[in-house]
Amino acid sequence: MMAKRFSSILPELSFEESIEITKIHSIAGMLSENNPLVNIRPFREPHHTISIPSLIGGGRIPKPGEISLAHYGVLFLDEIAEFSRNVLESLRGPTENGSIVLNRVNGNLKYPSKFMLIASSNPCPCGYYGSENECKCTNKSIRKYLSKISGPLLDRIDIQVEVSPVKCDSLNSDVRGESSLIIRERVNNVRKIQKERYKEYGIFSNAELTPELIEKHCKLSDECKGILQKMFEKMGLSARAYNRILKVARTIADMDQSLNIEKRHILEAIQYRSLDKKIRL
Amino acid sequence: MVEINFNDENYPEILKNIKNPPKKLYILGDVELLNKNLIAVVGSRNFTEYGKRMTKKFVKELVDNGLGIVSGLALGIDSFAHIEAIKNGGKTIAVLGCGFNNIYPKENEKLFYEILDSGGTIISEYAPQEEVKKANFPKRNRIISGISVGTIVIEASYRSGTSITANYAIKQGKKVFCIPNSLENTNSVGIINLIQNGALIVKNANDIFKGLNQNNVKLNNKIKTHKVAQNVDINVQKLNELGKEIYDFIKDNEKVSCNNISNTLKLKVEEVNEWLSILEIDGLIENVGGNKFMIVNTL
């Protein structure tokens, strides 16, 4: 449910983005007569039995796959550990490049694929790991289950959070969370800050930062460096987690409207790498 | 490498008393260690998070009390026993069921050298070129229990190698200590069998020393450990009011998530996350999975 609501907090589509999405959906023959211009961000949710061609695009005359249909929107992979490994690995290139090239005898085609990947998974085969019911899985089986999601793929996921099962009484409770509209307002503000900061590089969000740009825009004080250093030793975070933490910390700092990344931003960002810690077990 | 024969002077005295002692021992590392007070920590290869936590806790307490940790260099609990002993500045001995040239399991080759680097010892009754044979592993378990004053069993399934070690210990007249576990866990079947056959249930190192005392074991050859500084209390004192409040909340409620803390203490999620990181870095709390946190060393 959370993932489905996600596109409602993403920043509004610009006209150019809208046209681009419409073009892809037109190629796929998915436009409806009543609504010929796609003006909401797409949300794609393929089943875990999906094949590689239908995910990245394919056919004799290659049609766009789910990743291209999710262009400028959300690609949601529910139960990511159930997808076949080859299918998941095929996501590596497109997530990095923002496009996919399909080579066929009849010609080569390039489709755009700038999507936000959201994935969910159970923590272990029995599903109870870390919840109030005792998990009966052994370490070996948990490791096997989680190893479906390879390191390089995990590497490309910025935020990893473990959530506990919802309790019955909180389902009935009257407490309401924030509405998507208010959150979207916040997202738009942060987008504006980032767009302004990166206008000379032709990118518009922290997610697209290259290593050189990270060095330039995610400068850390010595105190923050010390914290990260300690964290790496203590919790055995992987080196590849380093840049991810910096990017997330940069975004947290932007939400805080802070010019520099402060200690508290780094400390918060560290908490969003829970799978890194777990997979090492 | 050193070879010691049964009649040699430095052949461990304690090993001479068991039935069917090895005629010859091949030794890498500190030979002296074999005559110190040692205790075996063994457990399942298919361990649970609980078993891992308990291994950490018990090994730390035993090392702090000057005992050397003996185990079998197997995957799972055995590995943790070795690693924790090294981490806490203690000494550890690995007993192999094959020759030194064929380290088994392969995954633990790194650990093999780490044990030696930390001043520990590796022993085997098989010549270095001896190959890995399934039948030799249960046999080496008699050395694990034989060289130790007692055996601690963390997790053991029915008819496992761990149970074999424990049964050797009982036959050798040594105390076996078991750590209680859930009945629903398959790894507790072996434990329950042992308890029914007279093994002691223990909750901390003190219970172990009491049990050894009952068995008239004299611990007069302890290892002098350069104790790794106990800075938990100091770190707790250093916390400010808010940090202390969160720490105490986790302490009082056992396993808590970030959401629990933020809802109950009426704090912002980002504030709580910030403090969770600080407490984790200081080694005061630990993420036990499912984004739940527990105090380190509560028992």
Side-chain angles (χ1 to χ4, degrees):
Chain A
M1 193 173 102
M2 221 165 79
K4 283 202 176 119
R5 302 285 184 280
F6 202 86
S7 38
S8 68
I9 68 164
L10 287 175
E12 271 163 51
L13 277 180
S14 68
F15 181 69
E16 291 79 12
E17 285 175 325
S18 183
I19 294 290
E20 211 169 308
I21 299 172
T22 307
K23 278 197 272 185
I24 299 168
H25 284 235
S26 162
I27 294 168
M30 287 175 47
L31 289 180
S32 69
E33 258 172 51
N34 317 333
N35 198 6
L37 184 73
V38 181
N39 51 9
I40 51 165
R41 289 190 185 268
F43 178 85
R44 307 295 304 179
E45 188 186 9
H47 188 250
H48 62 73
T49 51
I50 191 172
S51 65
I52 295 182
S54 50
L55 184 69
I56 64 170
R60 196 172 62 83
I61 302 159
K63 274 184 161 188
E66 289 292 329
I67 58 168
S68 301
L69 294 173
H71 186 53
Y72 288 140
V74 173
L75 178 70
F76 176 45
L77 304 182
D78 199 8
E79 297 292 352
I80 191 170
E82 303 296 336
F83 280 74
S84 97
R85 195 168 177 140
N86 295 345
V87 169
L88 289 180
E89 295 311 309
S90 70
L91 283 174
R92 284 203 219 168
T95 43
E96 201 80 336
N97 308 331
S99 63
I100 176 87
V101 179
L102 301 165
N103 307 107
R104 295 292 183 274
V105 177
N106 291 330
N108 299 336
L109 275 173
K110 184 176 174 180
Y111 286 122
S113 65
K114 276 191 185 163
F115 56 89
M116 174 177 269
L117 175 67
I118 301 181
S120 72
S121 158
N122 270 309
C124 64
C126 84
Y128 286 128
Y129 184 90
S131 82
E132 267 159 36
N133 303 22
E134 189 70 33
C135 166
K136 290 181 201 73
C137 305
T138 57
N139 179 264
K140 216 172 174 180
S141 59
I142 297 177
R143 211 183 258 256
K144 195 175 160 208
Y145 190 74
L146 290 180
S147 70
K148 271 290 211 38
I149 315 160
S150 71
L153 187 66
L154 202 61
D155 186 15
R156 289 163 170 83
I157 298 176
D158 294 287
I159 299 178
Q160 308 151 358
V161 185
E162 284 181 275
V163 287
S164 354
V166 183
K167 289 212 187 80
C168 183
D169 46 334
S170 63
L171 279 179
N172 294 328
S173 87
D174 296 328
V175 187
R176 291 263 155 240
E178 274 180 305
S179 86
S180 300
L181 266 174
I182 299 172
I183 302 177
R184 183 187 240 180
E185 184 93 358
R186 248 190 347 246
V187 176
N188 278 333
N189 286 338
V190 175
R191 235 330 138 77
K192 229 182 271 166
I193 299 174
Q194 297 179 0
K195 237 180 182 166
E196 181 65 29
R197 187 167 56 220
Y198 304 132
K199 62 182 175 209
E200 45 187 302
Y201 312 115
I203 58 173
F204 47 89
S205 68
N206 290 339
E208 296 166 89
L209 286 177
T210 56
E212 298 88 66
L213 288 178
I214 287 177
E215 221 164 277
K216 196 167 170 200
H217 290 287
C218 303
K219 283 215 180 80
L220 293 182
S221 65
D222 286 343
E223 195 189 7
C224 292
K225 275 185 194 153
I227 290 172
L228 270 181
Q229 181 66 32
K230 263 194 197 161
M231 211 59 194
F232 272 72
E233 285 163 14
K234 188 105 203 162
M235 330 211 357
L237 288 178
S238 64
R240 60 176 179 247
Y242 191 87
N243 281 348
R244 299 283 152 181
I245 290 181
L246 285 185
K247 281 186 194 178
V248 173
R250 180 68 262 176
T251 304
I252 297 172
D254 289 341
M255 291 181 75
D256 213 11
Q257 310 210 331
S258 157
L259 201 60
N260 295 315
I261 300 178
E262 309 278 350
K263 188 176 143 197
R264 59 176 189 277
H265 305 136
I266 286 280
L267 285 169
E268 193 186 339
I270 289 170
Q271 287 300 326
Y272 302 138
R273 296 301 297 180
S274 55
L275 272 181
D276 275 358
K277 294 179 230 161
K278 199 168 150 185
I279 281 188
R280 281 178 44 93
L281 231 66
Chain B
M1 194 186 72
V2 188
E3 292 171 31
I4 303 182
N5 289 312
F6 186 77
N7 294 323
D8 285 355
E9 203 182 313
N10 46 4
Y11 189 92
E13 203 57 43
I14 191 167
L15 207 51
K16 285 184 181 168
N17 302 330
I18 70 170
K19 196 182 154 197
N20 191 15
K23 291 196 179 66
K24 197 177 197 181
L25 282 176
Y26 297 86
I27 300 170
L28 283 176
D30 185 6
V31 180
E32 283 301 297
L33 198 55
L34 298 179
N35 284 308
K36 301 278 188 202
N37 292 139
L38 305 167
I39 192 152
V41 178
V42 292
S44 176
R45 274 165 297 173
N46 258 334
F47 62 97
T48 62
E49 276 296 292
Y50 170 79
K52 185 181 167 187
R53 280 208 298 280
M54 289 302 115
T55 315
K56 278 188 178 180
K57 169 183 145 64
F58 277 88
V59 169
K60 184 181 183 327
E61 290 179 10
L62 292 165
V63 164
D64 285 350
N65 280 298
L67 292 183
I69 306 293
V70 185
S71 202
L73 199 77
L75 293 177
I77 299 293
D78 280 22
S79 301
F80 288 123
H82 291 304
I83 292 169
E84 287 303 314
I86 298 171
K87 251 196 213 162
N88 288 297
K91 302 275 190 239
T92 183
I93 296 180
V95 184
L96 302 195
C98 50
F100 296 141
N101 295 347
N102 304 307
I103 301 170
Y104 183 87
K106 272 269 174 296
E107 290 93 323
N108 275 345
E109 208 171 312
K110 201 171 143 226
L111 182 58
F112 181 96
Y113 293 107
E114 276 171 4
I115 292 173
L116 291 177
D117 288 344
S118 71
T121 312
I122 301 196
I123 60 177
S124 172
E125 61 175 316
Y126 303 104
Q129 64 280 5
E130 185 84 23
E131 279 179 23
V132 180
K133 279 187 207 131
K134 214 173 164 189
N136 288 345
F137 283 85
K139 266 197 251 165
R140 63 94 197 255
N141 289 353
R142 75 183 196 285
I143 308 179
I144 296 181
S145 61
I147 204 166
S148 312
V149 291
T151 297
I152 302 171
V153 182
I154 306 277
E155 286 184 320
S157 51
Y158 181 56
R159 297 183 63 170
S160 59
T162 309
S163 307
I164 295 174
T165 312
N167 287 328
Y168 274 125
I170 294 171
K171 273 186 213 153
Q172 293 161 359
K174 302 202 170 140
K175 279 274 179 208
V176 175
F177 306 99
C178 288
I179 287 147
N181 204 340
S182 156
L183 277 181
E184 291 168 358
N185 188 331
T186 48
N187 274 339
S188 70
V189 180
I191 301 268
I192 290 160
N193 278 343
L194 288 169
I195 293 170
Q196 286 174 340
N197 289 327
L200 275 186
I201 304 184
V202 290
K203 62 177 187 297
N204 55 27
N206 251 348
D207 289 353
I208 293 171
F209 289 115
K210 262 187 225 157
L212 289 175
N213 212 4
Q214 278 171 17
N215 215 15
N216 289 324
V217 176
K218 299 250 167 0
L219 297 172
N220 40 20
N221 212 356
K222 285 191 178 177
I223 299 164
K224 284 191 194 77
T225 42
H226 39 103
K227 229 178 180 179
V228 180
Q230 277 281 353
N231 49 12
V232 169
D233 292 334
I234 306 165
N235 278 339
V236 172
Q237 279 164 18
K238 268 198 306 198
L239 297 174
N240 69 13
E241 224 165 275
L242 185 58
K244 189 84 179 42
E245 197 183 341
I246 294 175
Y247 178 79
D248 285 340
F249 182 75
I250 302 174
K251 195 173 186 175
D252 295 341
N253 290 284
E254 214 175 318
K255 281 186 186 174
V256 288
S257 68
C258 170
N259 277 353
N260 294 150
I261 302 173
S262 105
N263 288 340
T264 320
L265 301 181
K266 303 269 176 286
L267 294 169
K268 279 188 189 156
V269 172
E270 49 264 42
E271 238 172 340
V272 176
N273 268 330
E274 186 187 325
W275 273 104
L276 288 175
S277 295
I278 294 178
L279 294 172
E280 244 181 311
I281 292 173
D282 283 346
L284 295 175
I285 61 170
E286 193 177 349
N287 188 336
V288 291
N291 236 355
K292 296 244 169 62
F293 292 85
M294 258 173 106
I295 298 287
V296 174
N297 291 334
T298 38
L299 287 161

